[in-house]
Amino acid sequence: MRVAVVGAGVIGVTSALAVKNAFSQFEVRVFADKFSPDTTGDGSAGLWSPYLLGNTPSDKISEWGGITHRWLETFWKAGLASEIGLSLIPIYRVTHDPHGCHAPNWTKLVYGAHRLSSKELEKLNEQYKENYKDGWMFVTYTAEPVRLLPWLTKRFLEAGGKLRNRKIYALSELIDDGYDLIINCSGLGARELVGDNTVIPIRGQVVRVTAPWVMHGFLEDDDHGNYIIPNFDSVVLGGTHQENDFDCTPRKEDSEFIRNGCCRILPSLKSVEERKKWVGFRPSRPQIRIEAEVIGSPKGREVMVLEMNVIHNYGHGGSGVTLSWGCALDVLKIIENTKRLKSHL
């Protein structure tokens, strides 16, 4: 069977690798006009922490996120951290909201998660000269896509997968080219590729700085909060989440907001060396879309190999790394279920 995966971000590459590993006899090819290090994911910090997922059911977030967290844990235990950009760091996630943070299901998946006590909040507010009303502390992974994506791509190629630098304008192109199954991991590109206007960009601007003394992450879980996330060679300062904003140029006012906010949290950042400003578009959707669809009959063939010819896997907001392997395994389930159905027809 010939399988085409559209999209070379973390969702596309994990889907392609999962399919190729599970069905070695399949011919699997990834199509994209941009590969690492030029994907949206390459600019992100790769923090495992659900973010900007709309109305996606919490049980699905926990399921996909839990699978991915355990997947990252296997790499950590296997000594592959340096190869795939994997770190294990403590995180503070706080809010100024007087109604406080709810207790999300995913806190059961990370290590040592606990809600901050009033005494801990008091100490935190004294240290940072803030007025946080609630928060959590936990330990989790960062898997930097700029390292993770090349590693996953290498595994995919070693398994016999192939890459094709080509922009796909319509899924029917691939059906006409003889592909039996298309896995649509086009992210924000789904707006044009399948006409899904519920997918919108959430613009994210960050600044990378050199600050090796920063060894924990700090996230303000507010509408206009800042965040600080250490990576291997730099620290990511953020950020923005501007809906329906297609401006890919770093803005001076956003850089000032990021720098001022992060220096407010950690004054030691005031004199840091700035390495890079970056803007990316998170592909947000009311709910993540993982489902099968038939979009037309292949030319010259009356019967499809499976009972569908497209599997959609997109709309992951700011949680591509967080949910990637769990969603890839859901793609496998769809294929396995339809193969079983086909064998009984």
Side-chain angles (χ1 to χ4, degrees), residues 81 96 103 174 183 259 294 310:
H96 293 92
L174 296 168
I183 302 173
R259 179 62 78 103
V294 176
V310 175

Side-chain angles (χ1 to χ4, degrees), residues 109-253:
L109 305 173
V110 292
Y111 308 119
H114 74 278
R115 197 167 197 164
L116 297 177
S117 66
S118 57
K119 184 173 290 188
E120 287 173 311
L121 279 170
E122 183 180 342
K123 186 175 181 180
L124 204 64
N125 285 328
E126 182 180 344
Q127 179 181 353
Y128 295 114
K129 295 180 174 56
E130 277 295 340
N131 189 29
Y132 298 124
K133 300 297 186 181
D134 202 355
W136 286 78
M137 189 274 174
F138 53 92
V139 177
T140 190
Y141 295 104
T142 56
E144 300 173 35
V146 73
R147 294 174 183 252
L148 177 63
L149 276 171
W151 187 87
L152 291 172
T153 301
K154 183 180 180 182
R155 301 285 87 76
F156 172 67
L157 294 172
E158 288 174 347
K162 299 183 185 304
L163 307 178
R164 177 76 184 277
N165 192 329
R166 171 183 161 190
K167 183 173 177 61
I168 303 299
Y169 294 93
L171 298 183
S172 58
E173 296 175 28
L174 296 168
I175 295 175
D176 292 345
D177 286 348
Y179 285 91
D180 304 293
L181 174 63
I182 303 162
I183 302 173
N184 173 24
C185 305
S186 57
L188 187 61
R191 288 173 60 86
E192 296 180 2
L193 191 63
V194 294
D196 188 348
N197 290 326
T198 68
V199 185
I200 64 168
I202 298 185
R203 181 181 180 274
Q205 180 169 324
V206 300
V207 178
R208 285 186 178 268
V209 299
T210 302
W213 59 87
V214 178
M215 298 181 183
H216 72 275
F218 201 98
L219 316 175
E220 290 184 332
D221 206 6
D222 301 317
D223 287 342
H224 300 287
N226 292 96
Y227 58 81
I228 301 166
I229 304 172
N231 273 180
F232 268 41
D233 302 316
S234 63
V235 176
V236 180
L237 309 182
T240 65
H241 58 279
Q242 297 143 332
E243 294 188 7
N244 267 317
D245 190 331
F246 287 88
D247 182 8
C248 61
T249 304
R251 298 171 183 157
K252 181 180 178 181
E253 60 269 28

Side-chain angles (χ1 to χ4, degrees), residues 57-84:
S58 60
D59 60 331
K60 297 305 295 183
I61 294 172
S62 294
E63 177 189 339
W64 296 326
I67 290 169
T68 306
H69 199 272
R70 292 188 291 274
W71 179 62
L72 295 175
E73 184 181 60
T74 62
F75 294 142
W76 180 263
K77 291 180 177 179
L80 293 171
S82 62
E83 292 185 48
I84 66 173

Side-chain angles (χ1 to χ4, degrees), residues 47-63:
L47 176 68
W48 189 104
S49 185
Y51 182 55
L52 296 176
L53 288 167
N55 298 318
T56 302
S58 60
D59 60 331
K60 297 305 295 183
I61 294 172
S62 294
E63 177 189 339

Side-chain angles (χ1 to χ4, degrees), residues 280-327:
F281 303 128
R282 307 174 185 98
S284 180
R285 195 173 185 272
Q287 288 192 18
I288 292 173
R289 187 182 187 189
I290 302 184
E291 63 180 357
E293 184 183 14
V294 176
I295 64 167
S297 300
K299 287 183 178 179
R301 287 177 290 171
E302 295 182 357
V303 181
M304 288 181 288
V305 175
L306 300 176
E307 292 304 303
M308 44 69 179
N309 55 9
V310 175
I311 301 175
H312 299 287
N313 182 13
Y314 65 86
H316 296 79
S319 301
V321 168
T322 300
L323 307 181
S324 57
W325 194 245
C327 291

